[in-house]
């Protein structure tokens, strides 16, 4: 969640929260409400959906009060406001009332863009609440959550938490909060494993890690657990492919410090260290064999075979065998 204007005052007359990430939208609202109640404990908060803000309602809510009370008016799904209500809001943006903070929640996009543009033109404080779609973004979110709580966590712990929890930011934030409340000192990968062992074992990346390390029995156990808990087979083949490709990339790279190799190969430094440990025993022929196995499994889970589970088991065994080629 980031603001786009230079003056980040939660009590600005108008706050525009733009995006589709529900957690960040809620936090943008909570920040404004908390600031208003810090200034006046009796702040009146009105939280409305678009269909509740009828023509004339905003004027009623923002009219001068006999007691000059502070007020926060929250309008969710502002893109769905009726044309007449949009006119009311645009008129208000030109002359916002004192002691009142208007918060507009908008997903961005074309629908309701006129209101979005009007709020920006009026100088609204804007908070970006984009949907996190990339693993790196979720990893960054976890790191920022630990920092916000004044705690440190190792890169491996952050990655393990993302692998175990998945893409839901609310669940990730809750997990970080629980770990920081229960654990003293730096949060490491072992701690995450203890708290989220069942979910971590269901992770597709855990299957891949055990396979490329040549631990066939553990990889098959993790695979069966993953499938039984609803992990999509295509995610497992993707993780297997990433694991084998990382081995291939690092084995063919010139030696150097993790930071230098990270820049060259597009991996974080901590992953360079992990892959270095995993690649012991691998040969170029083994990498080629493992990649063929992954390609066959990918075709199998995408409709090219009758049994996706068998295709994955076959790939896991082939990869683990390739990993032990020099052992």
């Amino acid at each position: 969640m980031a603001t786009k204007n230079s003056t980040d005052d939660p009590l600005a007359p108008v706050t525009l929260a733009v995006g589709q990430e529900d957690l960040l939208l809620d936090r943008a609202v909570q920040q404004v409400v908390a600031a208003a109640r810090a200034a006046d404990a009796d702040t009146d908060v009105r939280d409305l959906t678009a269909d509740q803000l009828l023509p004339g309602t905003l004027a009623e809510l923002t009219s001068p009060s006999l007691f000059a009370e502070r007020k926060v008016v929250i309008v969710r799904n502002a893109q769905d406001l009726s044309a007449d209500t949009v006119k009311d809001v645009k008129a208000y943006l030109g002359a916002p009332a004192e002691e009142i903070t208007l918060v507009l929640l908008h997903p961005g996009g074309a629908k309701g863009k006129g209101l979005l543009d009007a709020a920006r033109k009026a100088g609204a404080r804007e908070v970006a609440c984009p949907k996190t779609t990339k693993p790196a973004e979720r990893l960054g979110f976890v790191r920022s959550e630990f920092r916000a709580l004044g705690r440190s966590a190792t890169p491996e712990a952050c990655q393990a938490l993302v692998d175990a929890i998945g893409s839901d930011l609310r669940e990730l934030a809750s997990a970080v909060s629980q770990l920081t409340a229960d654990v003293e000192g730096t949060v490491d990968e072992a701690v995450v494993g203890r708290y989220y062992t069942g979910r971590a074992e269901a992770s597709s990346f855990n299957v891949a890690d055990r396979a490329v390390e040549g631990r066939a029995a553990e990889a098959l156990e993790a695979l069966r657990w993953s499938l039984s808990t609803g992990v999509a087979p295509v995610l497992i083949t993707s993780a297997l492919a990433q694991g084998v490709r990382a081995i291939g990339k690092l084995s063919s790279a010139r030696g150097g410090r993790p930071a230098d190799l990270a820049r060259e190969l597009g991996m974080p430094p901590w992953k360079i260290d992990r892959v270095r440990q995993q690649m012991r025993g691998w040969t170029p022929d083994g990498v080629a064999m493992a990649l063929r196995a992954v390609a066959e499994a990918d075709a199998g889970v995408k409709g090219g075979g009758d049994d996706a589970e068998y295709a994955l088991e076959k790939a896991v065994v082939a990869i683990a065998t390739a990993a032990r080629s020099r052992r």
Side-chain angles (χ1 to χ4, degrees):
M1 186 173 70
T3 54
K4 287 191 175 182
N5 53 0
S6 57
T7 304
D8 184 19
D9 181 8
L11 295 181
V14 181
T15 285
L16 185 62
V18 183
Q20 299 180 41
E21 185 55 66
D22 290 340
L23 174 66
L24 301 184
L25 290 167
D26 285 347
R27 285 184 173 181
V29 170
Q30 291 163 8
Q31 184 185 34
V32 172
V33 171
R37 285 182 170 157
D40 181 354
D42 295 324
T43 293
D44 181 19
V45 177
R46 303 295 180 92
D47 195 333
L48 308 171
T49 56
D51 61 337
Q52 293 174 314
L53 193 68
L54 303 174
T57 302
L58 184 61
E60 294 176 11
L61 293 173
T62 57
S63 60
S65 168
L66 181 63
F67 302 102
E69 64 181 350
R70 181 176 290 277
K71 193 177 289 186
V72 176
V73 178
I74 303 154
V75 181
R76 299 182 184 271
N77 301 315
Q79 78 280 4
D80 293 330
L81 290 171
S82 68
D84 288 339
T85 304
V86 168
K87 291 179 183 178
D88 289 350
V89 176
K90 287 182 176 180
Y92 178 81
L93 293 173
E98 292 185 11
E99 301 298 307
I100 293 178
T101 300
L102 175 65
V103 184
L104 300 173
L105 275 61
H106 194 293
K111 188 176 182 182
K113 189 173 184 298
L115 178 58
L116 199 60
D117 292 341
R120 287 168 172 161
K121 187 175 180 180
R125 167 182 175 262
E126 183 170 342
V127 182
C129 306
K131 198 79 174 173
T132 56
T133 58
K134 299 178 181 178
E137 294 171 345
R138 291 190 283 274
L139 188 59
F141 173 79
V142 168
R143 289 171 176 162
S144 68
E145 288 292 290
F146 278 114
R147 284 196 299 270
L149 293 171
R151 297 294 298 278
S152 60
T154 66
E156 294 85 355
C158 293
Q159 184 64 58
L161 199 57
V162 172
D163 290 346
I165 301 297
S167 60
D168 191 308
L169 291 199
R170 288 188 190 279
E171 290 194 29
L172 286 170
S174 176
V176 171
S177 179
Q178 179 182 17
L179 288 169
T180 55
D182 293 355
V183 179
E184 295 183 0
T186 300
V187 176
D188 59 20
E189 188 176 14
V191 169
V192 174
R194 285 200 302 272
Y195 272 74
Y196 299 98
T197 242
R199 298 182 73 162
E201 286 177 357
S203 163
S204 55
F205 288 100
N206 194 53
V207 178
D209 284 341
R210 300 295 81 79
V212 298
E213 289 163 5
R215 296 153 66 179
E218 293 177 38
L220 287 170
E221 182 182 358
L223 171 64
R224 289 162 189 152
W225 184 277
S226 295
L227 294 171
S228 71
T229 55
V231 176
V234 69
L235 295 180
I236 299 174
T237 55
S238 175
L240 290 171
Q242 289 182 49
V244 175
R245 286 186 190 124
I247 297 287
K249 282 183 179 180
L250 192 56
S251 63
S252 61
R254 293 171 301 197
R257 297 178 304 168
D260 296 331
L261 286 170
R263 284 192 293 272
E264 179 184 343
L265 302 178
M267 299 181 191
W270 66 264
K271 189 169 184 179
I272 296 292
D273 292 333
R274 173 178 286 182
V275 176
R276 271 179 169 166
Q277 293 175 357
Q278 293 175 332
M279 64 186 284
R280 294 169 187 162
W282 280 91
T283 65
D285 287 344
V287 172
M289 182 177 78
L291 286 174
R292 285 196 298 272
V294 171
E296 290 174 3
D298 188 56
V301 303
K302 291 179 178 176
D306 297 327
D307 191 334
E309 182 173 343
Y310 173 71
L312 287 169
E313 288 181 354
K314 186 178 176 182
V316 163
V317 171
I319 292 168
T321 300
R324 296 195 303 269
S325 58
R326 280 187 183 172
R327 298 185 182 193

